[in-house]
Amino acid sequence: MTLRVARRAVLGGMLGAGLSAMPGWMSVAQAQTASVSAKTVATGYAELVYANYSDTLAAARDMQQAIAAFLATPSQAALDAARKSWLAAREFYGQTEAFRFYGGPIDDDNGPEGQINAWPMDESYVDYVEGKPNTGLINNPKFKITKANLAKQNERGGEENIATGWHAIEFLLWGQDLSETGPGNRPFEDYVDGKRPHADRRRTYLKVVTELLIDDLNQVTQAWAPGKKNYRSRFEAGGTESVRKIIVGLGSLSRGELAGERMEVALNSQDQEDEHSCFSDNTHRDMVTNATGIQNVWLGQYTRRDGKALKVASLAELVGAKNAELASTTSAQIARTVKATEGIQAPFDREIIGGADAPGRKRIQAAVDSATEQSKLLVQSANAIGITKLTLVQP
């Protein structure tokens, strides 16, 4: 053995035997944890948020192109492509819902969340439904279809009077879900002049409502853009208060929204109208992406649209520096929630039907229970790092 190889072997042996146990030495993992602070977590979170919103915006623009191609030459193939692009964009948007519930750019008093993702939707407010061929803004020639007018009409006269956002677009692409085994099946002829009344207005509505969604997503994305005097710059300087907001967002999504509004309500009512993405039968994926978004923030990780992995300072590391066991328990519980949501089968509107012992209901209840438990652990995690004032959204 040469001297160089011998030294390498000795050094390797020291590291393998636990160099971190020697006075004055720390392992790489320990050094990384020690360097994590409220400031680094807030800064890393902002980077993750911007990446996720940027990917959502890019995917929504791809959807806009697919919708434009469909509207230019309506066909079944073009409609299928537009639907596929909606589903693809939702994969990214669903993860961004972990950035809500603390008065940030998405849902402060002036935030566009209500225009972006409001639900459940009274579809007859927008277009015809079974038994009512002349209902909706589309079938009212006196209503001028513009972005400003659609924004004014959104939730006007009732929170189910939804005129904008993902679910309005979803309804215009799929139509009512009248099938027990699959999604809605709106014919592409709805957009062909002479095949369905007001096809021209339907084309205009779908075009304009998509433009409005792009505008709203761009607004939120720019609020988190780096190097500007915007919400992100203030958030990064917020220290512990920003970390508090992060945990409020995760805890509120876990219990109040994901477990409560999106699963428990539907379990209790067994009504398709309480399903999140009812027209496309994509609700099972909504649950997974919401749970994944929580995991992303907790672990400081995110898989970009191009497949690249982003890793930033995380809450798990910050909590782990104070209480390693609690951080590990919380990470495991969040992973269980992701797995439980992945177990929910499509279509969601059939999973909620039956008695307490129905397999689908048990799968959803397992996800509810797991998300509820993780919300409790998130509160404990906040307490472990000295944050005690938490106001979480409750179901």
Side-chain angles (χ1 to χ4, degrees):
M1 182 182 293
T2 66
L3 182 59
R4 181 178 298 171
V5 173
R7 285 175 176 169
R8 187 182 303 148
V10 171
L11 179 58
M14 291 171 66
L15 291 172
L19 187 59
S20 61
M22 297 172 61
W25 289 88
M26 290 192 299
S27 70
V28 172
Q30 287 173 319
Q32 289 176 337
T33 299
S35 67
V36 173
S37 65
K39 179 176 177 55
T40 60
V41 170
T43 300
Y45 173 86
E47 183 180 354
L48 190 154
V49 172
Y50 180 65
N52 197 169
Y53 275 133
S54 295
D55 284 347
T56 302
L57 180 58
R61 283 176 171 153
D62 284 352
M63 177 186 72
Q64 184 180 36
Q65 291 182 357
I67 287 173
F70 165 64
L71 295 178
T73 310
S75 69
Q76 188 60 52
L79 178 56
D80 289 343
R83 289 170 174 171
K84 185 177 180 180
S85 68
W86 186 94
L87 294 170
R90 285 292 290 182
E91 288 293 302
F92 296 101
Y93 183 78
Q95 296 173 69
T96 72
E97 297 211 75
F99 315 144
R100 290 183 53 200
F101 307 109
Y102 55 79
I106 182 70
D107 54 9
D108 63 12
D109 290 342
N110 298 312
E113 199 283 330
Q115 286 184 185
I116 291 175
N117 198 44
W119 70 286
M121 176 184 177
D122 177 2
E123 52 266 48
S124 68
Y125 187 65
V126 169
D127 199 4
Y128 77 91
V129 294
E130 187 177 42
K132 296 181 179 180
N134 301 312
T135 60
L137 298 172
I138 285 172
N139 296 298
N140 177 10
K142 295 180 180 179
F143 176 73
K144 187 176 181 180
I145 302 171
T146 67
K147 286 189 286 187
N149 284 346
L150 291 186
K152 289 178 183 178
Q153 292 299 318
N154 192 55
E155 297 185 315
R156 183 173 182 177
E159 63 180 12
E160 292 187 355
N161 291 341
I162 295 162
T164 68
W166 290 108
H167 299 296
I169 296 170
E170 179 193 11
F171 171 55
L172 289 170
L173 292 176
W174 274 274
Q176 282 182 287
D177 180 6
L178 302 174
S179 169
E180 290 190 356
T181 58
N185 190 30
R186 180 189 288 275
F188 77 86
E189 288 89 353
D190 278 6
Y191 293 88
V192 178
D193 292 330
K195 296 293 186 178
R196 165 71 72 169
H198 303 300
D200 57 335
R201 287 178 56 79
R202 194 167 290 108
R203 292 195 301 271
T204 299
Y205 198 111
L206 181 52
K207 175 179 181 292
V208 172
V209 76
T210 304
E211 290 174 352
L212 182 57
L213 176 66
I214 298 295
D215 290 349
D216 288 340
L217 290 173
N218 185 60
Q219 174 187 326
V220 176
T221 303
Q222 290 307 308
W224 288 97
K228 297 183 178 182
K229 290 184 179 180
N230 55 4
Y231 184 85
R232 175 175 178 162
S233 65
R234 298 190 299 275
F235 188 91
E236 289 182 337
T240 300
E241 171 58 18
S242 292
V243 173
R244 186 192 70 81
K245 290 177 179 178
I246 296 171
I247 297 175
V248 166
L250 300 188
S252 296
L253 177 57
S254 295
R255 182 64 190 103
E257 189 72 14
L258 178 56
E261 295 293 331
R262 303 193 177 188
M263 291 191 283
E264 278 183 324
V265 169
L267 276 177
N268 291 335
S269 71
Q270 299 195 35
D271 188 344
Q272 182 192 54
E273 292 301 313
D274 290 320
E275 182 186 2
H276 191 53
S277 296
C278 63
F279 312 116
S280 62
D281 273 346
N282 194 53
T283 304
H284 63 298
R285 288 303 307 168
D286 292 330
M287 304 304 108
V288 175
T289 56
N290 285 180
T292 300
I294 294 167
Q295 186 178 55
N296 289 345
V297 174
W298 173 256
L299 297 178
Q301 64 184 30
Y302 171 64
T303 301
R304 296 297 308 264
R305 190 164 174 251
D306 61 6
K308 293 180 181 178
L310 175 64
K311 185 71 179 76
V312 298
S314 71
L315 278 174
E317 292 168 318
L318 188 63
V319 174
K322 296 291 185 180
N323 188 330
E325 182 178 357
L326 175 60
S328 178
T329 299
T330 305
S331 295
Q333 187 63 48
I334 289 173
R336 279 192 286 271
T337 302
V338 173
K339 185 175 182 180
T341 58
E342 289 174 340
I344 298 171
Q345 298 180 13
F348 185 90
D349 54 21
R350 303 316 300 168
E351 288 281 271
I352 60 177
I353 300 300
D357 291 332
R361 290 179 63 82
K362 291 174 72 173
R363 286 189 285 267
I364 296 174
Q365 188 62 56
V368 169
D369 294 343
S370 187
T372 299
E373 179 60 26
Q374 83 182 27
S375 73
K376 298 175 182 178
L377 291 170
L378 286 164
V379 171
Q380 293 177 34
S381 295
N383 294 341
I385 56 177
I387 298 172
T388 57
K389 293 183 179 180
L390 293 170
T391 304
L392 303 186
V393 173
Q394 296 298 320

